[in-house]
Amino acid sequence: MIRSAEYPALFAARLDALKREGRYRIFAELTRPAGAFPRVRWASPSGVREVITWCSNDYLGMGHHPLVRAAMHRAIDEGATGAGGTRNIGGTNALHVELERLLAKLHGKAAALTFTSGYSANLAALSVLGSLLADTVILSDADNHNSMIEGIRRATGERIIFEHNSPRALEAKLAEIDPGRPKLIVFESVYSMSGNIAPIGEFARLARKYGAMTYLDEVHAVGMYGERGGGVAQERGVADQIDVIQGTLGKAFGMQGGYVTGEDPVVDCIRSFGASFIFSTSLAPVLAAGAIASVTHLMQSPEERRLQRERVATMKSRLTAIGLPVMPSQSHIVPVLVGDPVKVKTLTDRLQERHGIYLQPINYPTVPRGSERIRIAPGPCHTAAMLDAFVAALDAEWSELGLMRTAPAIVA
């Protein structure tokens, strides 16, 4: 029998195993001074130091934008900072309503619903959409995010996994399903650890052919793709062919929260049946105010998107030129393969301590074992001088650690 006093030691043993594998995660304590991004202050063991962050999901620096900060200050001055409860129990604010109307407009949909996180949005939406119609089949891309996987697990429908980004594999699965059964195809636009972009138009065509709904996670694309920042589906002219588009306010929009958009009855069902929506305190109005300002600005301004694409193209070109194994990426994500959990942690530690460069190692379970990598996210706030310093530092540490200069064939 295990004695109650023994449990801490048993859990400590599991942590020790994680550390031996090189997968134990240590959080860096960072302060983001207003207007200084991508410069951040790091509370290092030897004292506070300035470092440049190259892996933030605040892809366009909107978390520091003057318009966003001013909108949040006004919201604080004019009303409560907290929501006061769930959306049903006093937690629906005029700013929530305004934000949802704006997000529906962004994606060209009839309705939108906001959540405290993109994770909660996927959890609620997929558990509801995969359960309400009897005998539903959910077809999920093999590389879908954990939040999507968890939402699908909570659904009562049958689950089928298809090969990543493969219309051929998806069609083979669809062809085997009784035409009379409800079907839901679930996938992402930009896969954040590889930079892959889904064949959205092909998936939408197959959905029409086989009578399926489509659910597209655009969290790593909203704000950065499309004429108004509506994502890859908008950029490729197929947003109207997607039934539900899910997004986040916590990445390119620089705030916090998630949302879903779609037809009124679909969104209303998620609102009415989604447990992680019903039982969660609603998004703080001050965050909703910041999100409104950010989304409105990016719907009107292409400049941040233009600058980001320039920085990304330059980074990919410079790293490829010095022989680093830049993994194929169609998007703003620049993944560079290391292939070892201990070495990737050593690399990022050295960059931070020796060069004032902040990157986080990406390892299992975020990516498959053997495909450990760094994930670089250049943005419009990174200067040419910052990029020069980054490339020089990475080149030097890569050589000192004896890391490979040519990437083997690998499934990202």
Side-chain angles (χ1 to χ4, degrees):
M1 182 178 73
I2 301 174
R3 292 178 297 177
S4 59
E6 294 175 336
Y7 283 100
L10 294 174
F11 285 111
R14 294 302 302 268
L15 289 173
D16 287 341
L18 197 66
K19 292 174 181 177
R20 286 194 299 272
E21 289 181 46
R23 296 196 296 115
Y24 183 72
R25 302 183 184 200
I26 299 173
F27 297 154
E29 183 183 333
L30 305 173
T31 302
R32 307 207 310 163
F37 186 80
R39 296 180 178 86
V40 299
R41 287 199 289 265
W42 168 43
S44 75
S46 59
V48 177
R49 295 175 51 193
E50 181 181 277
V51 297
I52 307 297
T53 180
W54 287 90
C55 59
S56 174
N57 284 343
D58 187 359
Y59 291 125
L60 303 179
M62 292 302 296
H64 294 265
H65 198 285
L67 290 174
V68 175
R69 290 172 51 79
M72 296 179 77
H73 279 293
R74 284 195 302 273
I76 291 172
D77 291 339
E78 295 172 3
T81 54
T86 65
R87 290 292 291 273
N88 185 53
I89 306 177
T92 296
N93 186 280
L95 291 167
H96 295 132
V97 177
E98 182 182 351
L99 176 58
E100 287 169 350
R101 288 173 179 161
L102 182 64
L103 292 169
K105 181 180 178 182
L106 171 67
H107 293 287
K109 301 298 182 187
L113 186 68
T114 54
F115 296 77
T116 53
S117 70
Y119 199 104
S120 293
N122 274 334
L123 206 63
L126 290 169
S127 62
V128 169
L129 297 178
S131 299
L132 284 190
L133 303 182
D135 211 22
T136 294
V137 182
I138 306 167
L139 300 105
S140 175
D141 187 286
D143 280 11
N144 277 342
H145 188 264
N146 176 266
S147 61
M148 305 170 81
I149 294 168
E150 290 299 320
I152 293 168
R153 283 175 176 166
R154 283 162 172 74
T156 58
E158 179 186 352
R159 301 183 291 273
I160 296 175
I161 310 300
F162 64 90
E163 181 184 339
H164 176 53
N165 273 359
S166 173
R168 175 194 54 76
L170 174 59
E171 182 161 23
K173 302 290 187 183
L174 286 165
E176 295 174 351
I177 302 170
D178 184 331
R181 296 180 68 182
K183 294 169 282 292
L184 177 66
I185 303 169
V186 181
F187 57 105
E188 301 180 44
S189 58
V190 176
Y191 288 83
S192 64
M193 294 302 143
S194 65
N196 291 340
I197 294 180
I200 301 172
E202 277 296 289
F203 286 169
R205 180 187 66 80
L206 291 173
R208 293 193 302 274
K209 180 178 178 180
Y210 290 94
M213 283 184 65
T214 46
Y215 183 101
L216 175 62
D217 179 312
E218 288 257 38
V219 298
H220 287 278
V222 290
M224 296 176 290
Y225 298 84
E227 183 182 359
R228 298 181 301 166
V232 178
Q234 183 179 95
E235 184 160 290
R236 296 185 175 181
V238 295
D240 61 330
Q241 299 173 34
I242 303 299
D243 296 291
V244 179
I245 294 178
Q246 183 264 347
T248 185
L249 305 169
K251 294 182 171 57
F253 292 130
M255 287 290 100
Q256 180 181 340
Y259 63 89
V260 293
T261 65
E263 292 300 312
D264 275 312
V266 176
V267 173
D268 202 5
C269 275
I270 297 169
R271 181 189 72 86
S272 300
F273 293 95
S276 66
F277 174 80
I278 294 169
F279 297 106
S280 291
T281 297
S282 55
L283 192 68
V286 65
L287 293 173
I292 290 167
S294 182
V295 174
T296 300
H297 174 76
L298 289 176
M299 286 177 71
Q300 300 167 351
S301 171
E303 183 65 7
E304 289 82 3
R305 292 187 281 277
R306 183 189 69 79
L307 287 172
Q308 184 197 41
R309 293 190 182 197
E310 284 185 5
R311 305 291 188 270
V312 169
T314 302
M315 178 66 80
K316 289 179 178 178
S317 174
R318 293 282 298 276
L319 296 183
T320 301
I322 60 173
L324 267 62
V326 178
M327 301 171 73
S329 166
Q330 304 164 284
S331 69
H332 60 283
I333 305 298
V334 185
V336 184
L337 183 66
V338 176
D340 181 276
V342 174
K343 288 181 179 180
V344 73
K345 179 69 167 62
T346 303
L347 173 66
T348 56
D349 284 348
R350 287 186 177 190
L351 288 171
Q352 189 164 329
E353 293 161 3
R354 297 179 176 182
H355 305 279
I357 290 170
Y358 178 71
L359 276 176
Q360 277 295 292
I362 306 298
N363 53 33
Y364 180 84
T366 306
V367 295
R369 296 180 193 276
S371 68
E372 292 82 6
R373 66 197 68 174
I374 54 173
R375 171 189 177 274
I376 310 162
C381 300
H382 289 106
T383 66
M386 289 176 185
L387 196 145
D388 287 343
F390 177 88
V391 172
L394 186 58
D395 189 22
E397 296 300 340
W398 206 272
S399 293
E400 190 168 327
L401 288 170
L403 300 176
M404 57 186 173
R405 292 276 174 170
T406 303
I410 186 166
V411 177

